[in-house]
Amino acid sequence: MRISIGTPSHNKRPWTELFMRYLFANTETEFDLVVSDDSTDGTYEWLQEEYGDSITIVRPKGEYSGASAARNAYIKAFKNDIAICIDNDCIVPKGWELPIVEAVRDNKTFSMALSASPDMYFFSQLAHLRDTCDRFKAAYKFKDIESSADLEKVLIETYPQSLNVFYGEHKMIVNGVPPWHFSNTWICYAVRTETMRKIGGYDERYTRAGWEDLDLARRFGLIGLTSMVIPMSYVHHFMGTTRQNEVGIKPHEVNNKEWYKSKYPLYASEGLDPCEGWLCDESK
């Protein structure tokens, strides 16, 4: 079996370097990687030089910008039946993808099978995840991150043991915990490519990032599909560390929230179709 994996990239090259290294080392399923990159800091050129034709690099297009446009650009390039959408400010342990790929493959009522991540504090047994993330953020704030080696050094200092050992402990804790429904995409999920194309991709009227993921999951729900968290899959997201220089709520986040709140009454009052056309209309 071969899957597609897509990730967005916008500057912050050290994050992308570390993400790529862990991805290629720890993914056990054969995959085709698509990177949607509009960087201006040399990340695009580094990707070309380092990986060449072994990956596909696409550039987001259209009048809109941000996470939605970047994700739609890589989704359009997917060639396999099952795909994983994952952000690049995270790292993955060995075999991270297997549970979510299996879940999507075996259950067609799932729109998305989500990996667990430190963002999710719903496991009372996993309270130490938050402590780990908080310690990472504290260490990160006091260091100048100029390379993936610098970033990994902070990671190693933060963890008392390797990520794979941490993942092993995680799997023991959640073994037997059933999937549960959650209306969001979080940091990583598997999806059938045909399902994503049916829903039409991310709404690009959400600028930069924020609320576009909730919008997508809710639209899937409107066509009768369920988003499920698969606790046996885990990816380590670096939480808000990629926003360390941005304090408070930004204007685009306020605007995105208002668009989300105004959009959803229209499904009932005006019969708005949740299957939008962001993946098929090249003018957008």
Side-chain angles (χ1 to χ4, degrees):
M1 181 182 186
R2 195 172 186 89
I3 64 173
S4 296
I5 297 178
T7 191
S9 173
H10 177 71
N11 297 329
K12 295 186 174 66
R13 174 175 156 180
W15 294 95
T16 300
E17 289 186 18
L18 192 64
F19 165 79
M20 296 285 281
R21 180 146 54 85
Y22 275 78
L23 183 75
F24 278 94
N26 290 335
T27 304
E28 297 186 355
T29 308
E30 292 186 347
F31 67 94
D32 300 309
L33 178 64
V34 185
V35 181
S36 179
D37 182 86
D38 61 355
S39 298
T40 57
D41 67 344
T43 301
Y44 180 80
E45 292 75 15
W46 175 81
L47 286 167
Q48 288 182 311
E49 181 179 348
E50 188 73 16
Y51 293 96
D53 294 336
S54 67
I55 68 172
T56 300
I57 309 173
V58 296
R59 290 284 202 176
K61 297 178 181 179
E63 62 181 290
Y64 303 101
S65 63
S68 291
R71 291 170 183 148
N72 285 343
Y74 68 62
I75 291 167
K76 291 177 184 178
F78 285 162
K79 297 179 180 179
N80 300 300
D81 292 340
I82 292 178
I84 293 177
C85 301
I86 181 170
D87 286 358
N88 72 331
D89 57 341
C90 65
I91 55 176
V92 297
K94 197 74 172 176
W96 63 282
E97 85 289 357
L98 297 175
I100 56 174
V101 168
E102 179 183 2
V104 169
R105 183 193 65 205
D106 295 345
N107 194 327
K108 292 187 177 182
T109 65
F110 287 1
S111 58
M112 299 176 285
L114 284 65
S115 296
S117 71
D119 307 38
M120 302 177 181
Y121 299 140
F122 306 108
F123 301 124
S124 60
Q125 307 99 313
L126 296 183
H128 64 286
L129 283 179
R130 182 162 191 166
D131 176 63
T132 298
C133 294
D134 287 345
R135 284 187 286 113
F136 181 88
K137 287 193 288 184
Y140 181 85
K141 289 178 181 178
F142 297 102
K143 294 184 179 291
D144 295 323
I145 303 299
E146 297 181 354
S147 70
S148 62
D150 292 338
L151 188 59
E152 190 166 38
K153 186 172 184 292
V154 177
L155 178 69
I156 293 171
E157 291 173 351
T158 304
Y159 281 99
Q161 52 204 349
S162 75
L163 181 68
N164 285 330
V165 172
F166 183 82
Y167 182 39
E169 292 182 349
H170 168 84
K171 289 197 292 186
M172 286 190 291
I173 293 171
V174 302
N175 186 28
V177 175
W180 76 88
H181 171 68
F182 196 81
S183 294
N184 207 326
T185 67
W186 291 99
I187 197 67
C188 171
Y189 62 89
V191 64
R192 289 179 178 271
T193 301
E194 64 177 356
T195 304
M196 181 62 84
R197 289 180 175 152
K198 178 181 179 181
I199 203 68
Y202 287 87
D203 184 341
E204 295 184 15
R205 288 166 291 194
Y206 294 97
T207 58
R208 292 184 64 182
W211 296 86
E212 81 289 341
D213 49 356
L214 183 59
D215 177 286
L216 180 68
R218 187 165 181 179
R219 283 162 49 215
F220 273 129
L222 289 171
I223 63 171
L225 296 176
T226 303
S227 306
M228 299 298 292
V229 177
I230 311 299
M232 288 296 283
S233 174
Y234 174 81
V235 301
H236 192 78
H237 183 211
F238 295 119
M239 304 296 289
T241 52
T242 49
R243 283 175 49 101
Q244 79 277 9
N245 295 322
E246 299 182 19
V247 179
I249 298 175
K250 299 301 175 183
H252 75 273
E253 294 171 323
V254 175
N255 294 337
N256 287 352
K257 179 179 180 180
E258 290 305 311
W259 169 236
Y260 178 85
K261 289 169 61 179
S262 65
K263 179 181 181 180
Y264 277 90
L266 302 179
Y267 289 104
S269 65
E270 298 185 16
L272 188 66
D273 187 356
C275 297
E276 300 178 356
W278 300 99
L279 299 178
C280 59
D281 186 352
E282 293 296 331
S283 67
K284 290 186 175 181

